[in-house]
Amino acid sequence: MSESAIAYTGLGLDRAGARRRDPAWLGEQRARQDVRLLRFWQDRYAPDSQVVAGQEVFLGLDGEVPVFAVDLPEAADTVDVRSLFGTVPADQAAALVCAKGLLHWNRHQRFCGTCGAATESREGGHLRVCQGSHCGRLLFPRIEPAVIVLVEHEDRCLLARHRGAGPTAFATLAGFVEIGEALEEAVRREVAEESGVTVDTVTYLGSQPWPFPSGLMIGFRARAVSGHIAVDHEELEEARWFTREEVLAGGHTGRVDSIGAHLIEQWVKTPGLAPSGA
């Protein structure tokens, strides 16, 4: 699976990790006449706002052009960045969700979780430092990993309808990785807990930034040892095995901006592919 086929990947900016540590260099970049500024308010994109004051973060360099994002104190017209997917170029979509995630983290990490003192933004918003006199803890952006998996058995794939979803809204299974758990272990646990299906072979296929607000989706394909299903009725309403023809006929491909859709599409296009992983 190519990265370019997965939504929100392919951010073309040079993140300038070494140079952004220099406050003077960041100041020079922000003062440039050609600086590009992405404006947000409360996690929503504000493309038409003329306000520039607010918490700023440095996203990177587009060639020589510096790109920053700002969290505005107010904005009149805003839009959910996910609603823009498919209407803007892929690299712009990647930049918007990167900005959203980084601004969200800075807004919600204003205080230290260890001592409660205020934190200060450093390195263009990619680091916050506790200002407590006896603490000084370094705080980095939080990322929450989650596995998402296409399970197959005898030329069929497992799709499930989550609680609250519509009667035809079937999708792949997914769940957060727990502490002390390998990714492959998380796949096996989540599938078993939610659907009652046992899987053996687990193969990594790709990943996707998912800063809504701070996720990272890690995509897998797995092979079930049997067709037995026993849903938990907590996370899922139902789960079923689908043939490729049923998937296509029912439109069960999920949100177009989710890696889950790509896992399904790849499975549909690769009949008879037996994964060989962990």
Side-chain angles (χ1 to χ4, degrees):
M1 180 187 302
S2 66
E3 290 185 4
S4 60
I6 304 175
Y8 310 128
T9 60
L11 180 65
L13 301 180
D14 174 3
R15 296 174 184 259
R19 286 185 286 181
R20 71 190 184 204
R21 299 172 188 166
D22 181 355
W25 182 83
L26 281 174
E28 293 171 359
Q29 300 307 304
R30 181 62 181 87
R32 287 179 53 146
Q33 293 297 312
D34 59 351
V35 65
R36 189 181 309 158
L37 194 63
L38 303 179
R39 298 171 175 85
F40 282 76
W41 176 77
Q42 295 293 315
D43 292 332
R44 294 175 63 86
Y45 184 43
D48 300 322
S49 175
Q50 299 303 309
V51 180
V52 295
Q55 169 72 54
E56 292 187 0
V57 296
F58 172 70
L59 301 182
L61 298 173
D62 183 0
E64 296 296 325
V65 177
V67 183
F68 287 78
V70 58
D71 209 352
L72 304 176
E74 61 181 20
D77 298 315
T78 63
V79 62
D80 181 355
V81 296
R82 292 187 67 183
S83 70
L84 297 176
F85 181 75
T87 68
V88 299
D91 57 346
Q92 184 177 346
L96 287 172
V97 299
C98 177
K100 172 185 167 71
L102 195 54
L103 289 172
H104 179 93
W105 175 74
N106 274 274
R107 189 167 67 250
H108 290 271
Q109 193 64 78
R110 293 180 299 155
F111 298 95
C112 176
T114 299
C115 72
T119 62
E120 182 178 273
S121 177
R122 303 278 179 85
E123 298 186 12
H126 294 260
L127 167 69
R128 296 190 73 89
V129 180
C130 173
Q131 299 303 291
S133 58
H134 300 291
C135 186
R137 182 180 175 187
L138 303 181
L139 303 167
F140 296 92
R142 178 179 177 179
I143 298 175
E144 301 169 348
V147 294
I148 183 167
V149 54
L150 188 291
V151 181
E152 63 180 329
H153 180 258
E154 294 183 350
D155 215 28
R156 297 176 299 167
C157 76
L158 180 68
L159 300 178
R161 186 167 62 86
H162 292 73
R163 294 191 65 178
T168 62
F170 286 85
T172 50
L173 300 183
F176 288 105
V177 180
E178 296 186 352
I179 292 177
E181 187 174 51
L183 297 177
E184 296 82 2
E185 293 169 341
V187 168
R188 296 185 176 98
R189 175 185 55 78
E190 281 289 341
V191 173
E193 287 179 353
E194 295 187 1
S195 70
V197 173
T198 301
V199 302
D200 52 14
T201 301
V202 177
T203 304
Y204 170 77
L205 290 183
S207 62
Q208 177 186 41
W210 196 252
F212 306 113
S214 54
L216 172 66
M217 304 302 295
I218 306 159
F220 292 89
R221 190 161 163 180
R223 185 178 60 199
V225 300
S226 78
H228 174 73
I229 296 175
V231 298
D232 63 357
H233 294 295
E234 293 183 7
E235 294 285 340
L236 305 181
E237 291 286 357
E238 64 175 313
R240 289 167 42 196
W241 294 106
F242 289 81
T243 65
R244 288 173 172 81
E245 292 74 20
E246 288 172 331
V247 169
L248 293 173
H252 303 304
T253 56
R255 288 192 59 110
V256 294
D257 67 337
S258 168
I259 189 176
H262 293 281
L263 297 178
I264 296 171
E265 289 170 4
Q266 188 192 54
W267 177 79
V268 169
K269 295 175 180 177
T270 54
L273 176 64
S276 57

